[in-house]
Amino acid sequence: MSPLDMLADAVGPRNVLHEAQDLSPYAVDWRGAYRGQPVAVARPGSTAEVAEVVRRCGAMGLAIVPAGGRTGLAGGAVPAANGPPAVVLSLERLNRIRHVDARDFSLVAEAGCVVQTVQAAAAEAGRLFPIQWGAQGTAQIGGMLSTNAGGIRTLRWGNARELVLGLEVVLPDGRVLDDLRRVRKDNSGYALRHLFIGGEGTLGVITAAALRMVPALKRVESAFVAVPSPDAALSLFSRVMGSGAELIGFELCARFCMQMAAKHGVGLRMPLPLEAPWYVMVEIAAAHESVPLRDMLEEALGAALESGEASDAVIAESEAQRAMIWKIREDYPDCSRRDSPAVGTDTSVPVSAVPDFVNAAERALKARWPEGRMAAIGHAGDGNIHLSLHAPEGWAGDRAAWVAHAGEMEPLVNAIAVSLGGSFSAEHGIGQSKRHAMATHKNQVALDLMRTVKAAFDPDGRMNPGKVLP
């Protein structure tokens, strides 16, 4: 029996893609930076079918590349170009919400559920699934967990890892680890789920997750604030944190980033004239109607304006205005790509080190590539600042040409972040793009332990080869 026939026997002929035009979306990453042709794409519709595909791929000596919404930024869901023959295992048909328990503040969702669908299921139960980022309308739960995704609310509720109570995982040998218990306390040995969260499919395939919900937000207030510097932004952060309000979003944006959003965004309206060098998006919330959020925010911003931490500020007067502030942030990545070629990073530092990080990086980039334009935007409230270096206006080449010219920008910025006690990968994962950084910056003992774990779970190296480990 041929490999295609064996896969078709497991999931049905309609759920095995093998024609070139059908494979092409699964053979390139979202940014177009990584390409790798799979032998086929299998689309199982149940955990049992996932397990059967994994077993049959093992028998045929085929590698497995799990894929979700394919919105990742590190090339993790695309076969490695120089890797072994691989089958892309798409979880898109595992898209059921299995259980919602409002009293328990939990739900169980399959890996192919779109994040926004999970948010809607929580809202229908009067609860909130709090993770939020721009790709939530396409990204799937399995990919979110495999990369331990973050977003704009990490400062309050943490990355994806903090929202997981249990997992169901198909192991490399086809066995199913059923650990979907929804308990908050379980000290019965190793917490195995944490090996798969952030594992990017290199140890097994997440098929379902028990997720934590939180109380729904009854009051939300947002503001768009002009600040003179990252240091002033950090002072504002401390002020809002100490206001008594629940701070759930604090984004730092350089003027250049806002200019790109204003130029290329569809239907975007800037809340303030873009005259300051930096801007902050602030959001506070409460689970009870009686909390005087508006007063708290006005008092904090008034004190910031008086002290010079801010030069101007506008508080959203309607839900439409509030949504516009965050639409600017969520649409920025697309606006950035439309503007000019760029080399990007995904670093984090301690929150207190954000100003030093931004200033050191700006000096280093200006010295090395004076013609480049630095963009800085990110989650200042959790220390995750995305720096990118854009080609100068009028750049004649394409992205590949700019990467060839300024590609050393990423390791330079990574080194600055690590020197300040930070990380070279904050929320996008390692995939293919950061394996070189793992080799350079990851603690050697940690790497040895990771390789030992990988060998124990996947001795044949069939699970998403060419990803994560250098």
Side-chain angles (χ1 to χ4, degrees), residues 54-398:
V54 169
R55 282 193 289 267
R56 293 188 181 208
C57 284
M60 294 183 287
L62 294 172
I64 294 170
V65 179
R70 307 192 306 281
T71 59
L73 297 174
V78 178
N82 58 350
V87 170
V88 168
L89 184 63
S90 174
L91 282 301
E92 60 199 88
R93 293 180 59 229
L94 269 74
N95 56 11
R96 292 170 288 274
I97 304 288
R98 293 186 186 174
H99 183 78
V100 180
D101 191 328
R103 295 179 69 183
D104 198 37
F105 284 84
S106 71
L107 63 80
V108 176
E110 292 183 339
C113 287
V114 172
V115 173
Q116 207 164 63
T117 301
V118 174
Q119 293 169 336
E124 187 176 346
R127 301 291 183 252
L128 175 70
F129 183 63
I131 202 161
Q132 182 176 336
W133 76 98
Q136 63 195 26
T138 305
Q140 296 173 8
I141 290 297
M144 179 195 82
L145 297 179
S146 291
T147 58
N148 189 30
I152 63 176
R153 291 176 170 174
T154 294
L155 77 106
R156 172 60 184 88
W157 287 289
N159 276 21
R161 185 183 303 277
E162 274 63 57
L163 298 170
V164 178
L165 299 170
L167 289 181
E168 178 185 84
V169 183
V170 173
L171 301 174
D173 60 7
R175 289 181 299 163
V176 178
L177 172 64
D178 184 355
D179 190 22
L180 280 175
R181 287 169 296 173
R182 306 191 311 274
V183 296
R184 263 60 174 180
K185 290 184 175 181
D186 178 12
N187 281 338
S188 57
Y190 305 131
L192 295 174
R193 65 181 180 276
H194 290 299
L195 290 173
F196 303 101
I197 302 170
E200 301 187 45
T202 60
L203 301 180
V205 182
I206 295 172
T207 52
L211 302 169
R212 184 166 64 90
M213 300 186 293
V214 300
L217 303 178
K218 300 296 179 61
R219 295 283 306 279
V220 180
E221 297 283 354
S222 295
F224 190 82
V225 188
V227 296
S229 66
D231 191 64
L234 197 63
S235 296
L236 175 62
F237 172 73
S238 297
R239 190 180 294 279
V240 178
M241 283 287 283
S243 68
E246 188 82 81
L247 181 60
I248 66 171
F250 194 90
E251 299 290 300
L252 177 66
C253 316
R255 176 169 54 192
F256 177 41
C257 300
M258 295 298 91
Q259 288 171 334
M260 284 190 283
K263 180 178 180 181
H264 300 286
V266 177
L268 297 183
R269 297 185 303 277
M270 291 295 134
L272 290 171
L274 299 179
E275 298 170 350
W278 294 89
Y279 295 88
V280 168
M281 299 172 181
V282 181
E283 185 156 276
I284 59 175
H288 198 281
E289 294 278 4
S290 65
V291 179
L293 285 184
R294 182 81 177 199
D295 293 343
M296 292 175 172
L297 187 56
E298 287 179 346
E299 183 178 345
L301 292 179
L305 290 165
E306 185 175 343
S307 68
E309 295 166 4
S311 58
D312 202 355
V314 59
I315 299 176
E317 296 291 343
S318 67
E319 175 57 27
Q321 290 181 6
R322 190 194 73 80
M324 178 57 67
I325 289 173
W326 294 103
K327 180 173 172 58
I328 293 168
R329 177 63 183 92
E330 291 174 357
D331 288 2
Y332 166 76
D334 283 332
C335 298
S336 172
R337 275 189 296 277
R338 284 196 285 268
D339 186 83
S340 53
V343 178
T345 64
D346 173 37
T347 52
S348 64
V349 294
V351 173
S352 60
V354 166
D356 289 343
F357 168 67
V358 172
N359 294 334
E362 185 172 27
R363 288 192 301 269
L365 296 182
K366 279 184 177 179
R368 181 78 177 272
W369 296 279
E371 73 281 13
R373 298 175 294 164
M374 189 186 86
I377 190 167
H379 323 304
D382 60 46
N384 177 199
I385 304 297
H386 302 285
L387 294 184
S388 57
L389 189 66
H390 283 250
E393 290 187 84
W395 174 258
D398 57 9

Side-chain angles (χ1 to χ4, degrees), residues 425-467:
S425 180
E427 64 177 358
H428 294 164
I430 302 300
Q432 300 180 62
S433 69
K434 296 186 180 66
R435 293 174 72 208
H436 67 283
M438 287 283 279
T440 302
H441 296 296
K442 193 70 176 177
N443 176 272
Q444 188 58 53
V445 174
L447 274 178
D448 289 345
L449 289 172
M450 291 171 69
R451 291 189 178 108
T452 300
V453 171
K454 170 70 171 173
F457 276 75
D458 182 26
D460 297 327
R462 294 189 305 105
M463 302 303 296
N464 214 3
K467 318 294 168 57

